[in-house]
Amino acid sequence: MAAYLCPPAVIHGRHTVKTSEIVSEVRDRHPHAAWAPRVESIAASTGIENRGWMLPLESAVAPGGGSALPAAGVGPAREALTGDGFSEQDVDRVITALEAIPAPQTVQERTAPAWAAVQSSGEQAARGALQIAGLDTSDVDCLITSHSTTPALPGLDVALANKIPLRGDVMLLPATQWACVAGTRSLALAADLVAADPDRVVLVVISEALSTTYQPADDTLESLIVRLLFADTAVATVVTGRPRPESMLRLDAAWHHTLPGTQDLHRLETREDGTHFVMDRRGPRAVQETVTAMWEWLRVRYEDDPGSWHPDVLLAHPGGTRVLEYMEQTMPDGWPSGLLEYSRDSYTSGNRGGAAVFDIMRRAHDAGQAPGSRAVLYAAAPGLTATALEGEWL
């Protein structure tokens, strides 16, 4: 398989949003929610104090440009009120009151500024990755992109091909629905591409504005958790079929796994007021099944050396710290402790979705890894589907 990765560029959301600000906002908006008395303890349990967003918190909670007057307009509303026996003076008062009430933001109002930020941050990450790799835009033969929270057509691939710009014959491979598995799955695809042509240069860019799932009107516990967890990040890396002076990691094998009948556990839904991330409490247990399957893949891969092989670093994005704890509890006997140190560190500033594994990888790189260290990269996403990679630090 041999594919070579250069250190990734990581662009965090430039607006720092404090957990205390989110707690204050949801408490004021939903004082009678079932979880209101426990909101501070719920927030503290995430272990997140700050996260970076591409847009400020104010943009997520601002009212829309319209009013609470029904979409049918003033005329039909006036006719309906008059028909119910309201006097003309009362009708005027009601219409005036309705026009003064702001409506929630629409899908366009929420998504358009976020999509602009996703493109800008993605471009910044792409240019950073090329600079790290010592390459020019003209060297890129293929561009793989992912952005699940700001659907657009054309997508990030075409936007970056024009913004950077890239050669006209560059292969563009957009993947807008990979979500949390984008980091590992994009690398697996890139590895297949450079295996077919070792001279090919693949640029991978993932840019996610997960803050677009912050929905002020929702008062469910799951919606509260979504508000507290997500962060915005753009990442990029260069993958080649031959080692470069800048290469930091060689990928040797990839593994994919999808659990049947789990497609409804976690999902994005687009409604009138924007994108909602819907979570099911059965999700973490299902993700654990993919972890167990990954352990079996590694066991079979190294069954001729079961007593001595183990990864020296495990870069994992299973969706939350609960599954990280499960991973630690179920690791094969004899594996050293601390393998998930960088994964845990990444979660302390938010769940980055598809960009998470690259962020974790960058943390491991910056901390210094000895050449020859074995690495396993793993991520799971709504579906439920997972991809893992195994390789060696250079």
Side-chain angles (χ1 to χ4, degrees), residues 66 77 103 120 130 145 150-151 188 199 201 220 239 266 272 297 337 340 342 363:
S120 176
L130 289 172
T145 62
T150 49
D199 292 321
V201 173
T220 64
V239 182
H266 295 324
E272 290 182 357
W297 169 62
S337 61
L340 290 165
Y342 306 113
R363 292 168 190 264

Side-chain angles (χ1 to χ4, degrees), residues 194-258:
V194 298
D197 181 358
D199 292 321
R200 182 177 282 152
V201 173
V202 180
L203 174 63
V204 177
V205 183
I206 304 165
S207 187
E208 291 286 16
L210 296 173
S211 59
T212 56
T213 62
Y214 192 110
Q215 294 297 341
D218 287 357
D219 64 355
T220 64
L221 176 61
E222 290 76 17
S223 177
L224 170 65
I225 294 172
V226 167
R227 286 170 165 95
L228 293 167
L229 289 184
F230 285 151
D232 297 346
T233 315
V235 295
T237 193
V238 169
V239 182
T240 58
R242 305 184 194 280
R244 296 182 52 79
E246 300 83 5
S247 300
M248 71 166 190
L249 181 66
R250 187 190 70 241
L251 299 178
D252 296 326
W255 165 88
H256 305 282
H257 190 75
T258 300

